[in-house]
Amino acid sequence: MKTAEYFDIVIIGAGFSGLYALHRFRDYDVVCFEAGAGVGGTWYWNRYPGARVDIPSMEYSYSFNEDLQQEWSWPEMFSAQPELERYVNHVADRFELRDRIRLSNAVKHMRFDEGTDRWHVHTAKGDHVICKYVVAATGALSVPNAPPWPGREKFKGEILHTAAWPEEGIDLTGKRMGQIGTGSTGIQLAPILAEQAEHLHIFQRTPAFSMPSGNRPMDFEHEREWKENYSERRQKMMQTPGVSLLERSSVACSEYTESQRQELLEEAWTSQSAFQLLLTFSDIMTNRETNEVVADFVRQKIRAIVKDPATADLLCPKDYPIGAKRLCIDNGYFQTFNRPNVTLVDVKSAPIAEFTENGLRTAEAEYELDVIVTATGFDAITGAMTQIDIEGVGGRKLMDKWADGPTAWLGLMVAGFPNLMMIHGPLTPGAQAQMLMVGEWQVNLVGDIIDSLERDHYSRIDTSEEAEGWWAEEVNMLSHNTLHRFANSWYNAKNIEGKKGGFMIYVGGFPRFARLNNEAIADGFRGFIRS
Ligand code: NA7
């Protein structure tokens, strides 16, 4: 057993937020544990062909250092995974963060010692660290969801998960392939698999809404303009609900004639600006009829692209509002179904029953496959925290406390788990706002909190169940004002059978979220208990 080491702060995760936290806390004695063999979190693990960010790269990048944002050049408008990984590695080197990161060394167990107000953190490699604060930058989408189909061990071919894609890549040329899952990931992946496979079966449970990504080589005039105005633009971004400078209409759909609506939607569809479609009218996420106008526009697009009417019909989402799950962004996804080597299989009506020696079997038929790619998403938002055995005050475990769904004051702290703060925790804006900059913002908030506790000589900060209740009310009130709750997705834990959670995302927009956080701190740390 290794001897215990002492640190001020343990950071869990060396993704984009964890790396920035290392930089922000550089004046403390700090160590970062990371499960992966490299830095980058999401952008380290999700190296499947076609992985690409769906936010423009001039926006989806760190804002904390002016020199960094001036020096770095993105080759494409929406960066692919290899470029994001190159960037995050550059940041780790440039800011000399590596010597405080312990890779391939996941945190497994944490116990809060009430006598000393210290966390005891134990890792996969047997490290034992005693520290005052833990900052969990564990990521909202970091634990792959692997549905428990029986027979995995029988299958003679290869089973891959998109979020654990082999680093060395894999040659899929001429293989009989099966892809399960048609969310953001599956939609990026399918066109590329189809080019390589002898035949590709795509197993779809729920069809997704998707629009063309508009990716293209970086326009250098656009880059120059951004760089000249970076700080002003970053500030403006923080004043928008999604932390993004997409154009947001303030006009309701009903104010337009039918032909004006179609013209606006067509403009958004071809805008080369991912997500613009959801901002065409002011009331898309609050008015069911408006939402249906936009949803129907996309269904018409699908029917116009996909030649076989039965396949087109199966690809049309019909039973949930557009935008209620994250809108997908594609590079020729629907066109893929016009290829002779691609078949769409409906596993809603005939679910996957088991994996077999030679492929998989649904309730209706058996499919012979060499490789099965599961693009089945994540045990999102809570998964990364509940897979660590975390014992708080009185030995209470986080996974028990959250058995019926997560609770957290401001999405930041959980009552009974002192000195533990989460970045992108449950009940924060998550994927409803640009995660890189919100992560930076939250790290700065945590940094300010820790600085003030140290300055005022506190040894413990906790929150209360009452404060968790206030935040739950705020989150629920907001989610009842929008249409997001009408879809089954990782936002409400309904992507995984049996998972409980309720609505876990803050949909009130970043400015309101930030204001409520700042007000609580300014108001004498309302909702927190310091001692
Ligand atoms: P998602 O969006 O959760 O998509 C997962 C897909 O896998 C989705 O089509 C699921 O169907 C499907 N799935 C999951 N479990 C099953 C089972 N048991 N049977 C059949 N199909 C299944 O994950 P992604 O990785 O695509 O995207 C996650 C986020 O990353 C995305 O929102 C962006 O923010 C980036 P379902 O829809 O649940 O019926």
Side-chain angles (χ1 to χ4, degrees):
M1 201 151 116
K2 295 184 187 172
T3 45
E5 302 167 84
Y6 291 82
F7 285 92
D8 298 325
I9 304 173
V10 163
I11 296 166
I12 312 179
F16 276 73
S17 297
L19 275 189
Y20 175 59
L22 265 175
H23 180 66
R24 171 64 180 78
F25 302 137
R26 63 196 173 283
D27 295 335
Y28 291 94
D29 206 5
V30 53
V31 64
C32 172
F33 291 105
E34 164 58 48
V39 299
T42 290
W43 298 110
Y44 169 81
W45 291 106
N46 287 272
R47 49 182 72 243
Y48 61 85
R52 184 180 295 283
V53 66
D54 53 12
I55 312 271
S57 286
M58 296 311 291
E59 297 193 1
Y60 191 86
S61 45
Y62 284 118
S63 66
F64 70 87
N65 184 280
E66 179 62 14
D67 290 343
L68 174 67
Q69 48 183 26
Q70 291 300 330
E71 286 162 17
W72 190 263
S73 280
W74 298 100
E76 293 177 283
M77 298 292 267
F78 297 85
S79 292
Q81 179 274 338
E83 194 55 26
L84 284 151
E85 200 184 6
R86 196 167 78 78
Y87 173 70
V88 76
N89 274 283
H90 168 77
V91 170
D93 290 333
R94 192 185 192 289
F95 296 95
E96 299 178 351
L97 305 175
R98 286 196 196 275
D99 58 347
R100 283 169 290 162
I101 305 171
R102 299 188 189 174
L103 296 171
S104 305
N105 200 0
V107 170
K108 291 290 182 196
H109 172 69
M110 280 166 46
R111 181 180 62 79
F112 185 71
D113 182 69
E114 293 173 61
T116 56
D117 286 343
R118 292 291 182 274
W119 280 100
H120 285 246
V121 177
H122 298 267
T123 72
K125 286 189 175 164
D127 295 5
H128 173 195
V129 166
I130 300 172
C131 63
K132 186 161 176 186
Y133 304 101
V134 175
V135 177
T138 40
L141 297 164
S142 49
V143 178
N145 168 37
W149 293 296
R152 277 175 184 265
E153 68 297 339
K154 282 192 229 153
F155 180 53
K156 286 192 300 197
E158 187 142 19
I159 303 173
L160 300 167
H161 194 293
T162 44
W165 202 262
E167 209 170 331
E168 63 286 3
I170 176 166
D171 183 11
L172 300 168
T173 320
K175 303 270 192 222
R176 296 169 305 170
M177 305 214 38
Q179 173 187 317
I180 308 173
T182 53
S184 298
T185 299
I187 277 181
Q188 289 187 332
L189 176 71
I192 300 172
L193 289 190
E195 279 170 14
Q196 299 174 5
E198 182 208 290
H199 197 94
L200 174 64
H201 281 94
I202 299 181
F203 298 91
Q204 170 191 278
R205 186 165 69 179
T206 311
F209 288 104
S210 182
M211 73 170 277
S213 88
N215 184 43
R216 55 205 182 278
M218 179 57 70
D219 168 346
F220 292 106
E221 188 52 32
H222 170 85
E223 181 187 6
R224 191 188 55 76
E225 220 208 323
W226 264 85
K227 286 188 173 176
E228 274 174 12
N229 299 289
Y230 239 136
S231 68
E232 184 199 315
R233 291 204 175 168
R234 296 282 193 194
Q235 271 174 29
K236 256 200 191 149
M237 287 166 74
M238 298 310 261
Q239 288 156 12
T240 68
V243 187
S244 167
L245 293 187
L246 286 171
E247 274 173 52
R248 184 170 278 270
S249 167
S250 54
V251 182
C253 183
S254 58
E255 306 281 314
Y256 294 109
T257 63
E258 178 56 29
S259 72
Q260 284 173 324
R261 291 174 189 176
Q262 291 305 313
E263 203 176 305
L264 286 168
L265 288 167
E266 196 61 50
E267 230 172 75
W269 182 263
T270 50
S271 64
Q272 300 195 311
S273 251
F275 298 116
Q276 195 60 56
L277 199 64
L278 293 182
L279 304 173
T280 315
F281 310 116
S282 62
D283 55 345
I284 291 177
M285 291 317 299
T286 49
N287 180 324
R288 199 83 204 223
E289 279 172 35
T290 299
N291 191 283
E292 194 48 28
V293 169
V294 183
D296 205 50
F297 174 83
V298 177
R299 287 191 286 262
Q300 285 173 35
K301 287 286 178 197
I302 296 172
R303 293 185 204 283
I305 297 170
V306 180
K307 292 190 181 129
D308 173 47
T311 304
D313 190 56
L314 206 51
L315 285 166
C316 284
K318 301 180 192 86
D319 56 6
Y320 63 93
I322 187 168
K325 310 191 201 204
R326 193 178 177 88
L327 181 67
C328 300
I329 302 302
D330 70 271
N331 287 299
Y333 174 68
F334 294 116
Q335 289 79 349
T336 299
F337 293 92
N338 293 333
R339 296 177 64 109
N341 70 333
V342 174
T343 308
L344 183 65
V345 182
D346 177 17
V347 294
K348 176 85 123 210
S349 60
I352 296 168
E354 60 171 349
F355 287 9
T356 62
E357 208 177 311
N358 297 316
L360 67 77
R361 200 172 58 71
T362 69
E364 247 168 23
E366 183 159 357
Y367 298 86
E368 293 206 347
L369 305 165
D370 302 313
V371 180
I372 299 174
V373 178
T374 55
T376 42
F378 301 88
D379 180 359
I381 304 178
T382 53
M385 291 298 281
T386 53
Q387 75 171 6
I388 303 172
D389 181 11
I390 303 179
E391 279 179 72
V393 170
R396 180 136 195 226
K397 304 228 179 194
L398 185 68
M399 65 184 95
D400 294 335
K401 169 144 183 166
W402 282 1
D404 290 328
T407 54
W409 170 227
L410 303 170
L412 182 68
M413 289 200 70
V414 185
F417 296 82
N419 297 7
L420 166 62
M421 285 174 251
M422 298 175 291
I423 311 298
H424 292 309
L427 319 178
T428 63
Q432 283 291 302
Q434 202 253 87
M435 292 187 77
L436 211 159
M437 284 178 65
V438 174
E440 269 185 307
W441 183 88
Q442 275 194 300
V443 167
N444 286 334
L445 179 82
V446 170
D448 293 348
I449 292 174
I450 291 179
D451 289 347
S452 94
L453 295 170
E454 290 302 297
R455 193 184 52 235
D456 298 338
H457 307 292
Y458 286 105
S459 77
R460 191 196 276 211
I461 183 166
D462 201 342
T463 182
S464 64
E465 293 194 348
E466 189 189 14
E468 289 178 331
W470 300 336
W471 196 244
E473 260 175 47
E474 161 81 5
V475 171
N476 292 337
M477 179 270 291
L478 292 164
S479 71
H480 271 87
N481 290 339
T482 78
L483 302 177
H484 292 92
R485 68 188 189 284
F486 295 115
N488 293 343
S489 77
W490 60 267
Y491 289 5
N492 55 14
K494 288 190 178 151
N495 62 324
I496 296 181
E497 216 172 303
K499 182 169 173 179
K500 294 185 186 165
F503 199 80
M504 301 189 288
I505 296 267
Y506 186 87
V507 289
F510 176 75
R512 180 180 168 107
F513 173 77
R515 179 172 56 77
L516 294 177
N517 274 262
N518 288 332
E519 283 174 2
I521 305 292
D523 188 14
F525 276 77
R526 180 167 24 87
F528 295 94
I529 306 157
R530 292 171 296 170
S531 55

